[in-house]
Amino acid sequence: MIHTHTMKSPDTLVIGAGVLGCWAARHAISSGEQVLLLESRHVGAGASGGFLGALMPHMPDSWNPKKQFQYEGLTSLDTVVEVLEEETGIDCGYRRCGRVMPVTNAKLVQQIQRRVDGAGKYWDERYTLSFREDETAFINPSVASQGVQADTLSARINPRNYMKALEASIRAHCMIMEGAEAELIRSVGDGFEVELSDGTTLSAGRVIVANGYEAYPLLQPFMDEMNSGKPLGRGVKGQAMLIEHEHDDTMPVLYHDGTYIVPHAGNRVAIGSTSVNDWEGQGAHHFDEADLGFYDKAIEMMPSLRDAPVIERWAAVRPRNTMEGRGTEPFFGPVPGQEGLYALIGGFKITLGIAHIASRGFL
Ligand SMILES: Cc1cc2nc3c(=O)[nH]c(=O)nc-3n(C[C@H](O)[C@H](O)[C@H](O)COP(=O)(O)OP(=O)(O)OC[C@H]3O[C@@H](n4cnc5c(N)ncnc54)[C@H](O)[C@@H]3O)c2cc1C
């Protein structure tokens, strides 16, 4: 049965309560709008609700607007997280811990020098990037055969706590409907109708689509022409493990060949990677025990993790855009030709560090 929800139409309806949707809701609330946030499962149930939480800058050689944007995201997080923590009393587990990457090949040294120069030019002097030939700090020396590249801009956050804090900051100020799956968006008059899978129809002046890789089918009818009928993107799966490992929390993020090792408070270390393209037939949250390449790489980088107890295994799917003329670039903003319809989708592996600014540009 089709029926219309009794709530007065909100100014803004946000689809998806991941880090992007929650930030969009938070910004819209701050602008004084009435906001309805739809979530098919529960807040943080998607790719944002894991435990990896690496906040890694793009390499500062060949600077471009995208790198500048991400830099602004990363450097503003100190204050943003502090405000959220003060407001909610929830510790987001944030620390600017830096990052160390092994240098495995002498040919890379020249490239790293360009990165060192770029950091000197484009990063504030508080943050450094260096090449250390004789020091392999935290990384198995046999992997870092040529030394390491180290930076002090990278950071880490506990994604689940960050999501809890975000949720707590918006819950009292907007309506959050969990278990509400948006199935179809229709443009009507000067607004939109959103049809849910249970038949409910909601209307709003403005709709922000922020439901991760599941946004593609909702957006396809509006962006089909722009994308010459091709798919707007697809989901890329990632897997992670949370490991108990004693450390004094001075450790940086370690990164090599697609695998992250991220130190967290309370003697936890998370490892993971986000590059499984072929996950057809598997559930988005199914942890594939046959795909442990990232675990082997992590052990190689940091052998002391070998016998450490695994506390949790987690898998999720993140969006990867394939939009004409934009490649895999994220899409943050108005959908062309559809006044009042916005999309927040993509951002690859860096969304946790930019969600707070990616979602504010058009609000
Ligand atoms: C294993 C793994 C590790 C990662 N590690 C990092 C990292 O270290 N650092 C980093 O910055 N990024 C990392 N990422 C990427 C990052 O997690 C994602 O890019 C980001 O969380 C995406 O946020 P989002 O808000 O777009 O989507 P999600 O967090 O996926 O949120 C989308 C929400 O929409 C809901 N939804 C879906 N369909 C509908 C519908 N039809 N109606 C209503 N609601 C719906 C979902 O339930 C979900 O809650 C990682 C990703 C994975 C998979």
Side-chain angles (χ1 to χ4, degrees), residues 10-294:
D11 303 313
T12 293
L13 185 154
V14 182
I15 301 173
V19 70
L20 283 168
C22 288
W23 266 111
R26 186 174 155 95
H27 291 311
I29 292 163
S30 315
S31 319
E33 294 188 30
Q34 255 217 329
V35 179
L36 170 61
L37 176 55
L38 293 185
E39 165 54 52
S40 57
R41 288 173 288 161
H42 58 86
V43 177
S48 308
F51 46 69
L52 199 58
L55 305 172
M56 311 219 301
H58 291 304
M59 293 303 165
D61 49 344
S62 53
W63 200 248
N64 58 34
K66 177 173 119 177
K67 293 185 180 185
Q68 179 65 28
F69 182 77
Q70 193 217 14
Y71 176 78
E72 284 165 19
L74 289 176
T75 51
S76 56
L77 261 182
D78 298 14
T79 314
V80 163
V81 170
E82 199 182 311
V83 169
L84 258 188
E85 289 182 337
E86 259 174 34
E87 227 176 273
T88 63
I90 296 171
D91 180 347
C92 297
Y94 173 78
R95 181 165 71 84
R96 198 172 289 285
C97 56
R99 167 183 57 182
V100 170
M101 294 166 58
V103 181
T104 52
N105 181 334
K107 283 193 214 140
L108 280 175
V109 173
Q110 259 186 342
Q111 193 179 358
I112 294 172
Q113 192 49 52
R114 285 196 293 276
R115 294 172 185 168
V116 172
D117 296 344
K121 198 161 164 196
Y122 301 109
W123 290 2
D124 185 274
E125 61 191 15
R126 274 174 296 170
Y127 313 115
T128 59
L129 189 147
S130 56
F131 171 55
R132 302 182 196 157
E133 203 176 351
D134 305 319
E135 187 196 317
T136 64
F138 298 98
I139 293 190
N140 182 359
S142 72
V143 176
S145 57
Q146 309 294 317
V148 296
Q149 173 191 310
D151 77 71
T152 61
L153 172 58
S154 301
R156 68 109 201 270
I157 198 158
N158 179 323
R160 280 183 191 159
N161 287 10
Y162 184 36
M163 286 305 300
K164 276 190 199 133
L166 261 177
E167 179 182 356
S169 80
I170 58 175
R171 203 167 258 289
H173 310 285
C174 76
M175 183 173 173
I176 303 180
M177 278 175 76
E178 294 179 287
E181 185 188 12
E183 211 168 56
L184 186 75
I185 304 170
R186 258 192 308 267
S187 167
V188 282
D190 55 1
F192 291 90
E193 275 183 0
V194 174
E195 204 174 296
L196 307 191
S197 53
D198 69 358
T200 308
T201 300
L202 304 164
S203 50
R206 184 161 78 145
V207 171
I208 301 177
V209 182
N211 56 325
Y213 78 102
E214 289 161 289
Y216 298 126
L218 289 178
L219 290 169
Q220 193 77 37
F222 299 98
M223 298 170 84
D224 203 45
E225 206 174 312
M226 176 193 123
N227 217 39
S228 310
K230 295 192 204 109
L232 297 170
R234 62 185 162 78
V236 175
K237 192 167 173 182
Q239 305 220 112
M241 287 158 106
L242 188 63
I243 293 178
E244 189 177 334
H245 182 70
E246 205 163 307
H247 62 93
D248 64 3
D249 212 12
T250 57
M251 188 184 150
V253 170
L254 308 182
Y255 180 76
H256 180 49
D257 199 15
T259 294
Y260 306 74
I261 303 181
V262 188
H264 285 286
N267 290 325
R268 298 285 187 270
V269 171
I271 63 172
S273 78
T274 67
S275 307
V276 185
N277 287 310
D278 183 15
W279 54 281
E280 285 296 306
Q282 287 184 11
H285 292 277
H286 168 78
F287 187 91
D288 182 3
E289 289 287 351
D291 177 28
L292 291 182
F294 73 94

